């Protein structure tokens, strides 16, 4: 287990599942949750490769913060099939202030554990991470 800023530990599984997504594309997305009692980041949910952006959006709670990784497939202007790995910091306006502070203060440290993130998104409501936003960040 890696030691982290603000006393937050990162469960080994967090890194392992990310590496599987990156190398083998085993998952479409990963949702991470901070367990405030244990003071550590855990894997909460794994999205199957066939799942969509809609499935991903639906897996984030409306009023709680999360970190997430999404493997985004897109087609370039030259008609090439590509993918980019997004890191999403989900911090809805309705989340508890304390929770928002914990997620904000642990984010950079957690991101450093995941080598290969290509795009970062901060979202406080679903419109800030919809498909249009993803597309605008890769083209």
């Amino acid at each position: 287990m890696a030691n982290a800023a603000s006393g937050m530990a990162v469960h080994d599984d967090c890194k392992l599942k990310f590496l599987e997504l990156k190398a083998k594309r085993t998952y479409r997305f990963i949702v991470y949750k901070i367990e405030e009692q244990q003071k550590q980041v855990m894997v909460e949910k794994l999205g199957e490769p066939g799942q969509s952006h809609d499935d991903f959006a639906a897996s984030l709670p409306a009023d709680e913060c999360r970190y997430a990784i999404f493997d985004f497939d897109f087609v370039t202007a030259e008609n090439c099939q590509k993918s980019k790995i997004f890191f999403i910091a989900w911090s809805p306006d309705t989340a508890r202030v304390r929770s928002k502070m914990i997620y904000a203060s642990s984010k950079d440290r957690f991101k450093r554990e995941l080598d290969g993130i290509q795009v970062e998104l901060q979202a406080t409501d679903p419109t800030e991470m919809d498909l249009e936003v993803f597309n605008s960040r890769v083209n």
Side-chain angles (χ1 to χ4, degrees), residues 3-9 38-40:
N3 182 33
S6 68
M8 196 61 63
Q38 294 102 307
K39 284 201 176 338
Q40 71 169 340

Side-chain angles (χ1 to χ4, degrees), residues 51-70:
Q51 291 194 288
S52 68
H53 179 277
D54 284 345
D55 297 318
F56 165 66
S59 72
L60 295 171
D63 51 6
E64 286 180 33
C65 302
R66 291 292 186 272
Y67 300 130
I69 291 289
F70 189 87

Side-chain angles (χ1 to χ4, degrees), residues 22-115:
K22 186 172 85 163
K24 306 194 201 95
R25 311 199 73 194
T26 318
Y27 313 108
R28 171 65 56 199
F29 60 84
I30 306 170
V31 178
Y32 297 101
K33 177 184 186 178
I34 293 178
E35 292 292 353
E36 290 181 26
Q37 301 308 311
Q38 294 102 307
K39 284 201 176 338
Q40 71 169 340
V41 187
M42 312 280 287
V43 172
E44 181 181 49
K45 195 170 279 185
L46 297 166
E48 298 294 314
Q51 291 194 288
S52 68
H53 179 277
D54 284 345
D55 297 318
F56 165 66
S59 72
L60 295 171
D63 51 6
E64 286 180 33
C65 302
R66 291 292 186 272
Y67 300 130
I69 291 289
F70 189 87
D71 185 12
F72 182 61
D73 291 326
F74 62 100
V75 178
T76 66
E78 298 77 45
N79 221 21
C80 292
Q81 190 71 44
K82 285 197 154 171
S83 76
K84 283 209 165 154
I85 295 176
F86 277 68
F87 177 89
I88 298 96
W90 171 240
S91 184
D93 293 326
T94 49
R96 296 190 344 271
V97 173
R98 178 179 155 70
S99 176
K100 286 191 222 187
M101 283 169 57
I102 293 172
Y103 274 82
S105 66
S106 306
K107 184 189 74 172
D108 288 339
R109 178 70 186 80
F110 179 57
K111 264 179 64 190
R112 282 202 293 277
E113 296 284 325
L114 309 178
D115 183 36

